[in-house]
Amino acid sequence: MAEPEFTATGVRIGKRLRSLTQAGQVRISDGRLELLTSYGREIDSAPVQAVRASKPWFAHDDRALADVNGTRYTLTLGDHDPAPGEPGPPAARRFIEAVRKAAGRGR
């Protein structure tokens, strides 16, 4: 198994107004995006070419949107990258860049 291209833990994952998990995981590995619960159970996954990641308007810097299999998920990541060696989710901006890079869309 290849090293994941992007991993974030402690991510709040929601669908519409409903919270699915408070401390979920987001992983991009082998060209696939996975949204997981804190226990590692899959919420949704899809090839990164089929995923659309964006920054919502009028939202905090720690939020990102991910359209996966026709479902829009709200991801609450960190508002800034944690210090090296410190726990915590990376910034939402890094997630969006990772999806675009893995899908071959550049910036």
Side-chain angles (χ1 to χ4, degrees):
M1 183 180 226
E3 184 73 21
E5 295 142 33
F6 179 86
T7 302
T9 57
V11 178
R12 181 181 178 144
I13 301 173
K15 184 165 77 171
R16 298 187 186 250
L17 297 175
R18 185 173 154 227
S19 177
L20 300 175
T21 183
Q22 296 285 334
Q25 301 173 39
V26 177
R27 186 172 32 202
I28 299 174
S29 180
D30 297 328
R32 194 159 183 81
L33 172 81
E34 297 176 305
L35 302 177
L36 308 168
T37 66
S38 56
Y39 298 108
R41 188 176 58 93
E42 185 175 293
I43 296 170
D44 208 344
S45 70
V48 286
Q49 290 83 4
V51 174
R52 200 174 90 212
S54 61
K55 178 91 179 79
W57 289 13
F58 307 112
H60 294 283
D61 288 338
D62 63 348
R63 299 245 170 98
L65 296 175
D67 290 328
V68 182
N69 296 325
T71 303
R72 177 170 288 174
Y73 294 96
T74 305
L75 309 175
T76 305
L77 297 110
D79 55 355
H80 62 280
D81 289 327
E86 294 292 318
R93 172 186 45 79
R94 271 203 35 227
F95 165 72
I96 295 168
E97 290 171 4
V99 169
R100 291 181 180 158
K101 181 180 173 187
R105 289 180 273 213
R107 285 187 112 134

